[in-house]
């Protein structure tokens, strides 16, 4: 029977001895400062997130040296000082002594971890961190340290020298931390012998046993049961080995070899049991979600979708997943399998999940391809070499009425949203229909330089039926005409051209329509049917489509150069969409773009102001109060236009702003940011490198919603003045997750589609993500500096204008004086006037160039000063963040040492005090 009072006595003895000198406090100070340096590094400010991601990514390195420093004296000093014999003669069992010493070092580590909570206080000062995320992160830190403490104690039990115990502790702790790289090491060793394969199975198994991998979920705000099992089982195994080592002193000399063999077999059996239990724990992905937004729990929309499947209607989910994937896809694979298991458990008889493991070139691979699941060729770095692998990670959702394929789950795809959407689509008897308007953007047939449908079409087909809409004929037609058209298209086997059979019309760059096509489009909009419009003064995905440019020649620009091909008809309304703007009661200049001076993401500071973020963190009014913008945080706009509405429509609710710049923005007219060019690929347009930008202190609408129930003028339109927002690049960024920042362009587009067709069930699920918790203190300081830069730019421009105005007035004065002279004839006067104008104009041009150089110099110096000041603010925050964590343990240590010294002085007889 284990006695708690004995364990507590041993714990107290060892804990007090650790803090009897300065060394214990020194280790804690080093730990706190090192943790602060890892948490508040340069990358922390670049990410602009109030979390401990930087510390979590390197915490195992910190443990690698802290843990051996704590445990090196646990057994080694006892053996060195000869107190181990005295210790084991006490009325206490070896198990009680072992547990007492373990609890002592665990208490020391817990104290160090408590002191490091100063980092959380600093984080709370800088922003508003997620409390649940921070709590789970520290639980992970504590469990990881608790497990490694038993490893460090084992190293200390093997030697009587504390220094050797420290070195052994580092070596032993490296095993659970870096065991994930064991497969790579074996492959490297076998390579000289001609082995060029990949040990996928071994790699997966070792990575699951890696402490670094087990710590990952805790840093995301999750308490996974499997990882808790891992740390508990690792601790139990290492403590058992400690017990074996300290029990060796009782073994008879004659039986040492047999006893070693006996306990060695026991240890191996325990290790096998440990691995087996870990496998069972991984098969049951139970975990507690502590994030504020419950990001890792099934949403209400998912539960509603599952419960909404009719009785007797079974959905079959077939997943085709490779057994081994590159390391960066391990987390995606694990989450996908865990969620599919949850769907299977929650669905009961309504859902049947079949998981098919797909090896390359196997029968299962051909079966996956038959369902439209193609492998993705992924390049990844392995041991300094670039490798390539074919990975299957797709899902087919089948019902008696429909099939939905998700070809591949890339790292950026929201897994629950994709599965739930596919599940609901397959369980419905029919899908709603989206019509894509044919324009020069060629959304459904591949635009200029493209070879297929846009990504938006592929995305919409996962939820809706998508059809082509030909604007050259009436879009609105009677029912009989619609049926005749449908039969004709079915007979020809061609893409169906809609005449009214769709729930939403998506129009990209309608400014490219001819007048008859625009008239048909306007007739549809006037009917009040849902319409989603994207147009753009300067579409960066294809500058040939600029509304102020003529329609591109059929066959490309080369056809027009050599006189081939027929010149296309001119654009309707001259590309200005005048009739549409009049109908919507909006103002839109088809050449004017906006820029934004506030950039909340310093890692993208190299972007020009015309490529900007509509960001909730930098501008609280960036997103309007609408389901379309619910949960959005960052939308990227590229050379976006703007729309103006009137206050009367806003007050009545007819007009709602969806995307809006901050007041620290401005406008650029067509002539101010473009130059004439003979570049064919640029569509005759060339951008100016550094146009003059003056903020106008107004917020500008990028996207608006216009809705009216008026019987005479019904409207249901969303108009966005940036067509790049829907381009393929943002779908690719979302899918591949190549950047640290998540852009909401795709989410905005899909939300707009759902809201217009009246299906808002997935809007909240699609927007489900952690709240953007930025470094508010740094942002507030930087905001003042950006305002100062803007004022400096305006002052430089005003001074330049004033100097040019003075020079111009001087010229006018000289001309007037010459005109008033009567002592010369008219011909001489004209010659003098011409000479004087030429002289003054040359001087004005020279002064203008000089003033422009001076202005650019001032603006450049102001920008450099702003960046320098921002960096100074970050350095100040970093300095205090590194120093403050050291102050508390130092003060606490000095206080305890002082109290102990006073207590010792009082216990000495006064006559013996010096």
């Amino acid at each position: 029977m284990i006695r708690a009072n004995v364990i507590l006595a041993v714990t107290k003895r060892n804990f007090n001895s650790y803090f009897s000198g300065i060394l214990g406090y020194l280790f804690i100070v080093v730990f706190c400062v090192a943790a602060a340096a890892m948490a508040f590094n340069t990358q922390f400010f670049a990410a602009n997130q109030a979390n401990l991601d930087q510390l979590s990514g390197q915490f195992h390195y910190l443990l690698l040296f802290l843990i051996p420093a704590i445990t090196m004296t646990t057994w080694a000093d006892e053996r060195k000082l000869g107190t181990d014999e005295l210790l084991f003669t006490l009325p206490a069992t070896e198990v009680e002594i072992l547990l007492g010493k373990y609890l002592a070092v665990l208490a020391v580590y817990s104290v160090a971890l408590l002191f490091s909570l100063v980092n959380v206080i600093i984080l709370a000062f800088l922003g508003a961190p997620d409390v649940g995320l921070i709590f789970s992160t520290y639980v992970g830190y504590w469990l990881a340290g608790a497990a490694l403490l038993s490893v460090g104690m084992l190293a200390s039990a093997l030697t009587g020298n504390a220094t050797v115990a420290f070195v052994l502790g580092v070596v032993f702790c490296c095993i659970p931390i870096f065991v994930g790289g064991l497969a790579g090491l074996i492959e490297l060793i076998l390579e000289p012998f001609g082995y060029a394969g990949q040990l996928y199975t071994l790699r997966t198994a070792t990575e699951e046993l890696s402490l670094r991998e087990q710590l990952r979920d805790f840093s995301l705000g999750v308490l996974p049961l499997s990882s808790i099992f891992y740390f508990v089982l690792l601790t139990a195994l290492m403590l058992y080995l400690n017990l074996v080592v300290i029990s060796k002193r009782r073994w008879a000399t004659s039986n040492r070899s047999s006893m070693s063999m006996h306990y060695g077999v026991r240890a191996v059996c325990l290790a096998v049991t440990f691995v087996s239990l870990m496998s069972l724990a991984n098969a049951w992905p139970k975990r507690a979600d502590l994030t504020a937004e419950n990001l890792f729990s099934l949403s209400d929309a998912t539960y509603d979708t599952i419960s909404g499947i009719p009785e007797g209607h079974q959905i079959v989910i077939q997943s085709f997943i490779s057994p081994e994937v590159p390391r960066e896809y391990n987390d995606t694979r694990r989450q996908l399998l865990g969620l599919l298991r949850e769907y299977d458990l929650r669905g009961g008889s309504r859902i049947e999940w079949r998981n098919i493991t797909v090896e390359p070139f196997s029968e299962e691979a051909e079966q996956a391809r038959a369902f439209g699941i193609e492998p993705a060729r992924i390049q990844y770095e392995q041991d300094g070499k670039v490798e390539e692998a074919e990975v299957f990670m797709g899902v087919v959702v089948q019902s008696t009425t429909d099939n939905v394929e998700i070809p591949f789950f890339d790292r950026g795809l929201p897994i629950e949203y994709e599965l739930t959407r596919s599940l609901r689509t397959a369980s419905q008897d029919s899908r709603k229909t989206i019509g894509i308007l044919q324009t020069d953007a060629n959304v459904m047939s591949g635009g200029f330089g493209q070879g297929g449908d846009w990504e938006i079409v592929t995305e919409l087909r996962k939820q809706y039926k998508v059809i082509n809409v030909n604007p050259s004929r009436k879009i609105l037609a009677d029912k009989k005409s619609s049926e005749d058209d449908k039969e004709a298209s079915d007979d020809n086997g061609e893409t169906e051209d809609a005449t009214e059979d769709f729930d939403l019309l998506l129009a990209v760059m309608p400014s490219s329509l001819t007048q008859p096509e625009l008239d048909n489009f306007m007739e549809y909009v006037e009917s009040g049917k849902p319409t989603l419009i994207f147009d753009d003064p300067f579409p960066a995905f294809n500058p040939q489509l600029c509304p102020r440019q003529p329609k591109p020649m059929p066959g490309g620009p080369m056809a027009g150069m050599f006189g081939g091909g027929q010149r296309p008809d001119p654009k309707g309304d001259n590309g200005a969409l005048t009739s549409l703007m009049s109908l919507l009661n909006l103002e839109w200049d088809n050449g004017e773009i906006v820029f934004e001076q506030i950039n909340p993401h310093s890692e993208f500071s190299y972007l020009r102001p015309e490529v900007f973020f509509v960001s909730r963190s930098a501008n609280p009014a960036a997103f309007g109060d609408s389901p379309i913008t619910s949960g959005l945080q960052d939308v990227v706009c590229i050379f976006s236009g703007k729309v103006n509405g009137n206050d009367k429509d806003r007050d009545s609710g007819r007009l709602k702003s969806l995307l809006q710049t901050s007041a620290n923005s401005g406008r650029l007219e067509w002539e101010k940011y473009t130059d004439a060019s003979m570049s064919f690929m640029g569509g005759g347009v060339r951008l100016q490198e550094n146009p003059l930008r003056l903020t106008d202190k107004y917020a500008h609408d990028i996207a608006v919603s216009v809705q009216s129930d008026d019987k005479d003028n019904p409207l249901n339109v969303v108009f966005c003045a940036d067509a790049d927002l829907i381009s393929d690049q943002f779908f690719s960024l979302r899918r591949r997750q190549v950047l640290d920042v998540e852009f909401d362009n795709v989410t905005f587009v899909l939300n707009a589609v759902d809201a217009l067709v009246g299906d808002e069930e997935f809007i909240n699920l699609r927007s489900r993500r952690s709240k953007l918790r930025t470094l508010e203190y740094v942002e507030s300081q930087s905001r003042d500096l950006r305002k100062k830069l803007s004022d400096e730019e305006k002052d430089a421009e005003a001074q330049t204008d004033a100097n040019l105005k003075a020079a111009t007035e001087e010229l006018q004065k000289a001309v007037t004086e010459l005109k008033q002279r009567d002592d010369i004839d008219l011909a001489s006067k004209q010659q003098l006037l011409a000479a004087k104008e030429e002289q003054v104009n040359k001087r004005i041009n020279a002064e203008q160039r000089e003033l422009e150089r001076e202005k650019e110099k001032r603006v450049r110096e102001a920008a450099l000063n702003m960046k320098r000041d921002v960096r100074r603010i970050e350095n100040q925050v970093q300095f205090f963040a590194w120093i403050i964590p050291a102050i508390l343990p130092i003060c606490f240590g000095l206080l305890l040492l002082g109290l102990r010294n006073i207590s010792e002085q009082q216990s000495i007889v006064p006559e013996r005090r010096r």
Side-chain angles (χ1 to χ4, degrees), residues 499-519:
T499 53
E500 195 178 359
D501 288 337
F502 46 88
D503 301 282
L504 167 72
L505 181 62
L506 173 60
V508 181
M509 299 303 296
S511 59
S512 65
L513 298 175
T514 63
Q515 193 60 54
E517 293 171 341
L518 183 60
D519 292 340

Side-chain angles (χ1 to χ4, degrees), residues 18-19 21-34 66 69-70 108 112 115 885-886 889-890 893-894 897:
Y18 191 87
F19 290 103
I22 196 66
L23 190 61
Y25 298 99
L26 181 60
F27 280 137
I28 291 179
V29 170
V30 171
F31 170 73
C32 292
V33 173
L66 174 70
I70 294 177
V108 172
F115 278 119
I890 289 175
L894 291 175
L897 290 176

